[in-house]
Amino acid sequence: MRLTVLLDNNTLIDRYFLGEPGVSYLIEENGKRILFDTGYSDAFIRNAYRMKIDLLDLDHIVLSHAHLDHTWGLDAIARLFTEAKIEGNSHRDPTVVAHPLVFNTRTYEGIGEAGTLVCAQKLSRIFRLQLSSEPLWLSDNVVFLGEIPRVFDFEHEPLASKVIIEGKEEDDILADDSALAVKTGKGLVIVTGCSHSGICNIIEYAKNICGEERVRDVIGGLHLLRPTDSKIRGTVEYFRKLRPDEVHACHCTDLDSKIALSKVSNVREVGSGLRLEY
């Protein structure tokens, strides 16, 4: 299994890739090619071109959740495939996988739309859609986790954002926030977008779904931006007991949180252009 960081907030030293506040990864596992999130713009496509990666050859496009820094690049990937069809260029027909609420409008402190810009009806004319709140196996070893049960009290954070459901504005708990788990010979690789549902909740659910206690790596945003004392203490203690081989904390994980995690885990650097093999 190989994971390539097509996009992150950071870039690697002496590598000339683009960075932006967003996430996009390419996962290759036993012939399956999965794009995980699309960032905020077309930067992930431009980085893929520089890395000689063909994004027209995909099996799945997985969305971790609705927020603009993970889904607004959908417009760019839709254009890429549409242009390939117009020009008669070789391409596959990937399936977009996400939680059913991923296309609902999100508002946040005066921002009228902080969620997905492309509606499901129009996107379904370009890609196949498979929306599920239940775990969905994309291959023998890769599972989209669906809706994550919230079991750790210290990870509960009230949000200022709202979600529109059936025309009514409701408090947003980001029920659509999900992740991928990949089974490897040395344990699970957990791939997250922002971990709004709680990174400890995500890992526990992945272990349960996959029947595996070992964790090889955790990569992605851990949503530890100025966390409360109880949240960072609870997360650090969880990782101390978990003992993953590595942690590639990035995107929405601040420096103080990385330092705290590094006291109990092997925290590694992440940036656009990074390639990991398991």
Side-chain angles (χ1 to χ4, degrees):
M1 177 267 200
R2 173 190 287 174
L3 185 148
T4 303
V5 178
L6 299 179
L7 187 71
D8 183 50
N9 296 46
N10 300 313
T11 61
L12 298 181
I13 294 173
D14 291 336
R15 301 299 301 278
Y16 296 94
F17 300 117
L18 302 173
E20 70 181 19
V23 161
S24 184
Y25 305 139
L26 177 68
I27 296 159
E28 298 168 278
E29 193 275 328
N30 282 340
K32 289 286 186 179
R33 302 181 86 247
I34 301 166
L35 179 68
F36 181 83
D37 282 350
T38 62
Y40 178 76
S41 71
D42 68 345
F44 74 103
I45 294 176
R46 289 188 279 167
N47 283 343
Y49 176 80
R50 291 173 179 178
M51 287 183 263
K52 296 181 174 61
I53 291 173
D54 182 8
L55 290 183
L56 291 172
D57 183 22
L58 296 174
D59 294 284
H60 296 94
I61 300 171
V62 175
L63 303 176
S64 66
H65 65 296
H67 281 165
L68 73 175
D69 49 341
H70 299 260
T71 64
W72 278 20
L74 273 175
D75 180 68
I77 195 78
R79 288 200 305 271
L80 184 72
F81 275 82
T82 299
E83 290 165 8
K85 293 174 183 177
I86 291 171
E87 298 301 329
N89 294 332
S90 176
H91 65 279
R92 300 180 75 175
D93 295 309
T95 299
V96 173
V97 175
H99 187 282
L101 288 176
V102 80
F103 293 104
N104 288 56
T105 282
R106 266 38 187 239
T107 63
Y108 177 76
E109 295 185 347
I111 299 174
E113 182 57 83
T116 323
L117 282 181
V118 184
C119 72
Q121 182 181 10
K122 287 190 175 183
L123 195 66
S124 68
R125 302 184 70 84
I126 302 170
F127 304 116
R128 292 189 294 267
L129 299 187
Q130 194 164 9
L131 306 180
S132 178
S133 59
E134 299 297 321
L136 183 65
W137 288 91
L138 308 184
S139 74
D140 290 343
N141 295 314
V142 182
V143 59
F144 171 73
L145 295 175
E147 193 164 328
I148 309 294
R150 316 292 173 94
V151 297
F152 292 103
D153 290 340
F154 63 82
E155 292 198 291
H156 174 69
E157 286 185 309
L159 301 174
S161 60
K162 304 291 183 180
V163 59
I164 308 299
I165 299 177
E166 296 181 353
K168 296 181 180 179
E169 186 177 81
E170 301 181 11
D171 290 337
D172 190 10
I173 63 168
L174 275 171
D176 55 305
D177 182 77
S178 191
L180 291 178
V182 185
K183 297 169 67 175
T184 77
K186 294 185 178 180
L188 300 177
V189 176
I190 310 296
V191 185
T192 74
C194 265
S195 304
H196 289 284
S197 51
I199 187 57
C200 306
N201 289 327
I202 289 170
I203 295 170
E204 281 301 296
Y205 193 49
K207 287 162 57 179
N208 179 52
I209 294 301
C210 296
E212 172 64 83
E213 288 296 314
R214 299 171 301 162
V215 174
R216 170 68 182 84
D217 196 358
V218 179
I219 178 166
L222 307 186
H223 208 255
L224 295 173
L225 287 170
R226 299 175 297 280
T228 62
D229 289 343
S230 62
K231 183 174 183 179
I232 191 62
R233 281 199 309 268
T235 303
V236 168
E237 179 60 17
Y238 178 85
F239 273 77
R240 184 185 69 80
K241 294 177 179 177
L242 181 69
R243 300 180 64 186
D245 293 348
E246 294 180 312
V247 177
H248 287 86
C250 57
H251 184 48
C252 54
T253 313
D254 63 29
L255 179 59
D256 287 343
S257 297
K258 291 178 184 178
I259 292 171
L261 283 171
S262 72
K263 296 176 181 177
V264 297
S265 299
N266 181 19
V267 175
R268 306 300 298 272
E269 185 178 15
V270 184
S272 297
L274 178 67
R275 278 191 166 135
L276 301 169
E277 296 199 13
Y278 305 93

